[in-house]
Amino acid sequence: MQSQPRPCILAVDDEADLLATYERLLGRQGYRVTTATTRSMALDGLGREHPVLVVADLRLADGDGLDVVRAARALGTPPLVIVVTGFPSSESRQQALNAGASAYLLKPFRVATFAGLVQDLLHPQSRGPRP
């Protein structure tokens, strides 16, 4: 019997340590993680990988992470998108949400917070009552 392919998550950030954290954490949750360190790599990966979720930094070396959000949301089956930034502002938050982001997360964040957000977005039916 052939096993189901693992759902893909595309993680886009120019911080290698953070990408490694995403790979470890999301891999343990059963996802296949593809990483990109630039806007152009992310745009290439979107069409090739068909991710169920994109985690995109707002500031990338070669451009704006919002371009990645818009491109992801324009796909035939658009993935959910978490925008991550170390330079938060109410304006960037609104721009991210307007571009189609499902969530806006501030760096640095707790791993448990990120894992919970991924779980809530990808498996909302499993969300129990919150205290």
Side-chain angles (χ1 to χ4, degrees), residues 8-13 22 26 31-36 38-39 42-43 45-47 49-57 60 65-75 77-84 100-105 114 117-118 121-122:
C8 178
I9 294 178
L10 174 62
V12 187
D13 204 296
Y22 291 144
L26 297 169
Y31 297 101
R32 181 174 55 87
V33 181
T34 299
T35 61
T38 65
R39 175 190 161 278
L43 295 176
L46 280 173
E49 300 295 336
H50 308 289
V52 296
L53 176 69
V54 174
V55 181
D57 190 6
L60 299 168
L66 288 179
D67 292 341
V68 177
V69 176
R70 290 184 195 98
R73 299 304 298 158
L75 293 173
T77 304
L80 297 169
V81 180
I82 299 173
V83 168
V84 180
S102 306
Y104 182 87
L105 187 61
F114 176 75
L117 179 58
V118 170
L121 288 174
L122 294 178

Side-chain angles (χ1 to χ4, degrees), residues 10-31:
L10 174 62
V12 187
D13 204 296
D14 53 4
E15 295 180 43
D17 290 347
L18 191 52
L19 289 177
T21 298
Y22 291 144
E23 286 180 301
R24 277 191 314 274
L25 174 68
L26 297 169
R28 278 186 290 206
Q29 292 182 349
Y31 297 101

Side-chain angles (χ1 to χ4, degrees), residues 103-118:
Y104 182 87
L105 187 61
L106 310 182
K107 290 181 190 177
F109 51 82
R110 292 181 44 235
V111 170
T113 300
F114 176 75
L117 179 58
V118 170

Side-chain angles (χ1 to χ4, degrees), residues 1-5:
M1 178 158 56
Q2 189 173 5
S3 66
Q4 291 280 16

Side-chain angles (χ1 to χ4, degrees), residues 6 14 23 37 44 59 68 77 80 85 89 97 99 101 103 110 112 123:
R6 296 186 308 162
D14 53 4
E23 286 180 301
T37 56
D44 287 344
R59 291 189 180 182
V68 177
T77 304
L80 297 169
T85 185
S89 70
L97 296 175
R110 292 181 44 235
H123 305 286

